[in-house]
Amino acid sequence: AQSVTQLGSHVSVSEGALVLLRCNYSSSVPPYLFWYVQYPNQGLQLLLKYTSAATLVKGINGFEAEFKKSETSFHLTKPSAHMSDAAEYFCAVTKAAGNKLTFGGGTRVLVKP
Amino acid sequence: DAMVIQNPRYQVTQFGKPVTLSCSQTLNHNVMYWYQQKSSQAPKLLFHYYDKDFNNEADTPDNFQSRRPNTSFCFLDIRSPGLGDAAMYLCATSRDASREQYFGPGTRLTVT
């Protein structure tokens, strides 16, 4: 069975500072990995995805994530936080042979002025 | 723009009164999903349709049913809502080969 762990349910960053959200996965087969963002009372929006091509994946809104197989990690970063980045972020994994997403517990990001 | 649409965005129902939530998509995706999301939690998959094939999660209560009359539409029926069913309900779609899921804006269900 696959699982996803997001370290830190809440992260607080200052505007302009680095955003780092941690995600570790366990999977017996090469996974597909995703980061989604959810704003209050909205659905989930895909930020970026890893599908076994480049290990450094660039997404929307200035976010990027690096797949590290040796660390079973897929951490999400953004060099400079903006107030509009305040939201909940979910890491998710699916096996190449399936469609079902397994979500991490989510990390809520607070951006301080 | 191609999208996933959910109606209504907010739904209030009474304890035990059947309710139906609607999802439509213009993406022509063959897979459609229903998730339940409670406050400060990750979405929980209830079931999904792979084309016309219905796939129920093992722990989805019998109280929850779904219909997919055509490729574009999918419905979530809650036969007898309880207070514990109050949540955000998210519809998502995917094309099999691409894996990523596209989510609608959700319907927030309140049970009084």
Side-chain angles (χ1 to χ4, degrees):
Chain A
Q2 53 197 11
S3 66
V4 180
T5 302
Q6 292 183 238
L7 294 177
S9 59
H10 292 80
V11 168
S12 180
V13 298
S14 297
E15 191 174 18
L18 171 73
V19 179
L20 170 60
L21 305 182
R22 300 179 186 274
C23 172
N24 289 87
Y25 68 92
S26 66
S27 177
S28 57
V29 297
Y32 285 44
L33 292 155
F34 307 88
W35 275 100
Y36 285 88
V37 60
Q38 186 176 32
Y39 299 100
N41 287 313
Q42 295 291 324
L44 278 67
Q45 181 182 7
L46 181 66
L47 277 177
L48 49 79
K49 63 179 179 180
Y50 167 75
T51 56
S52 73
T55 57
L56 182 62
V57 182
K58 293 188 184 298
I60 62 171
N61 302 341
F63 284 94
E64 64 180 36
E66 186 172 8
F67 173 71
K68 292 187 177 180
K69 185 177 179 180
S70 61
E71 299 177 7
T72 60
S73 69
F74 190 56
H75 301 332
L76 181 71
T77 60
K78 181 174 180 177
S80 177
H82 191 271
M83 296 299 291
S84 61
D85 295 325
E88 183 125 28
Y89 293 79
F90 291 97
C91 181
V93 62
T94 186
K95 291 190 291 188
N99 291 84
K100 294 198 303 185
L101 286 173
T102 299
F103 286 94
T107 299
R108 186 172 297 278
V109 172
L110 171 66
V111 183
K112 299 177 292 185
Chain B
D1 288 342
M3 56 175 51
V4 182
I5 302 161
Q6 290 189 246
N7 287 306
R9 293 292 315 279
Y10 299 89
Q11 175 74 58
V12 180
T13 191
Q14 294 177 336
F15 182 93
K17 184 175 181 180
V19 65
T20 294
L21 308 183
S22 170
C23 177
S24 64
Q25 54 128 340
T26 60
L27 297 162
N28 202 31
H29 284 170
N30 61 321
V31 193
M32 294 187 76
Y33 310 80
W34 279 104
Y35 289 87
Q36 180 192 65
Q37 186 181 27
K38 296 190 175 181
S39 182
S40 300
Q41 296 183 20
K44 177 180 180 295
L45 182 64
L46 295 173
F47 25 60
H48 74 280
Y49 276 93
Y50 192 110
D51 296 318
K52 295 182 179 180
D53 293 332
F54 178 71
N55 298 272
N56 199 30
E57 293 300 297
D59 57 353
T60 298
D62 292 341
N63 199 25
F64 291 87
Q65 305 284 321
S66 185
R67 296 169 284 136
R68 190 179 186 186
N70 54 53
T71 301
S72 301
F73 284 85
C74 195
F75 300 97
L76 169 62
D77 301 309
I78 308 177
R79 292 192 294 183
S80 182
L83 297 179
D85 296 328
M88 174 77 91
Y89 289 88
L90 297 167
C91 175
T93 72
S94 72
R95 187 184 304 280
D96 183 40
S98 67
R99 309 298 177 206
E100 67 260 33
Q101 295 182 18
Y102 295 85
F103 285 80
T107 295
R108 182 166 294 284
L109 178 68
T110 300
V111 182
T112 61

